[in-house]
């Protein structure tokens, strides 16, 4: 399956995976301003199946989405080493890719990722709170828009609303609701994240202290598997951390990219597997 995607820049490949329901604009909106100051990277932003402009076809599981991602990596990156960034559900898929291709991935970045508990009912998350609010911001929005924005936003200002409407809302509107419901019934990957060897390349696990969707506690148990990970919990940030704390996001991503650049190039095998190996 050919995934719709956008590509920017030249150099070391960077694969960025958005979360459940939005599309690639969630990632381009927060990452492109960072990479504007860091030449030498080819950024690839796909729409996951059933989201954005990528059709779901007959995919009915996260395994199906992972299969489409494998095809995308093989077609667009091949066996070249690459950097991987995932947000929320995209972080879950990213951890799955690391389990399958640990020798090909130069570094793993996770933004508000799903942690050790996949299903929301099993997660340790705080109650939703609003730390900053401007009532005038919501004027003129439809009730549905107000519910979508305020249901997750911790910082409700004109700027965060603008970013939400630019980077997140279009993807929510474009998602194939029928396909999403079908896939959601088979959400767990057959090859579980962290089922492979310990990942020893530079990593970043970035969480929001007020994130009521994926929280910050369920990511801490991941640390033994990622011994080179910075684990950061930001106050004043919910599940929209990337638009609520953009300056800190940029600083932490920049530090992570610098750590990756300082690492010696690993010796990659001539023919990396295109299918998952048994564990």
């Amino acid at each position: 399956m050919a995934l719709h995607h956008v590509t920017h820049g030249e150099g070391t490949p960077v694969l960025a995976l958005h979360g459940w329901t939005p599309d690639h604009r969630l990632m381009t909106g927060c990452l492109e301003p960072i990479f504007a100051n860091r030449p030498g990277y080819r950024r690839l932003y796909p729409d996951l199946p059933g989201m954005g402009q990528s059709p779901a076809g007959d995919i009915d599981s996260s395994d199906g989405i992972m299969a489409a991602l494998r095809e995308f990596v093989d077609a667009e990156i091949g066996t070249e080493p690459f950097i991987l960034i995932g947000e929320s559900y995209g972080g879950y898929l990213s951890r799955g890719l690391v389990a399958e291709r640990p020798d090909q991935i130069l570094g793993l970045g996770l933004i508000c990722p799903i942690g050790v508990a996949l299903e929301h009912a099993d997660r340790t998350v705080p109650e939703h709170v609003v730390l900053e609010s401007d009532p005038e911001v919501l004027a003129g929005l439809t009730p549905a828009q107000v519910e979508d924005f305020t249901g997750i936003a911790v910082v409700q200002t004109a700027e965060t609303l603008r970013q939400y409407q630019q980077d997140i809302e279009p993807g929510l509107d474009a998602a194939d609701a029928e396909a999403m419901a079908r896939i959601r019934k088979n959400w767990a990957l057959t090859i579980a994240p962290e089922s492979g060897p310990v990942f020893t390349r530079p990593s970043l696990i970035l969480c929001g202290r007020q994130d009521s969707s994926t929280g910050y506690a369920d990511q801490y148990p991941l640390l033994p598997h990622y011994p080179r990970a910075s684990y950061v919990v930001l106050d004043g940030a919910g599940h929209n951390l990337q638009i609520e704390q953009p300056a800190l996001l940029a600083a932490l991503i920049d530090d992570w990219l610098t750590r990756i650049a300082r690492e010696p190039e690993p010796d990659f095998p001539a023919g990396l597997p295109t299918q998952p190996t048994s564990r």
Side-chain angles (χ1 to χ4, degrees), residues 206-223:
L206 186 55
C207 306
R209 183 65 174 81
Q210 288 80 32
D211 187 339
S212 58
S213 295
T214 56
Y216 61 88
D218 290 338
Q219 293 75 15
Y220 186 78
L222 299 177
L223 290 181

Side-chain angles (χ1 to χ4, degrees), residues 9 15 31 33 42 55 69 91 93 98 112 116 126 133-135 143 147 151 156 164 185 212 218 252 270 272:
L15 176 60
L31 294 179
R42 178 167 66 99
L69 277 176
L93 297 176
V98 169
C112 297
V116 291
S133 178
D134 180 356
E147 181 178 358
Q156 300 176 5
Y164 175 85
K185 294 177 181 178
S212 58
D218 290 338
L252 291 162
L272 289 166

Side-chain angles (χ1 to χ4, degrees), residues 130-144:
V130 178
L131 299 182
E132 186 175 353
S133 178
D134 180 356
E136 295 183 3
V137 167
L138 306 181
L141 299 181
T142 67

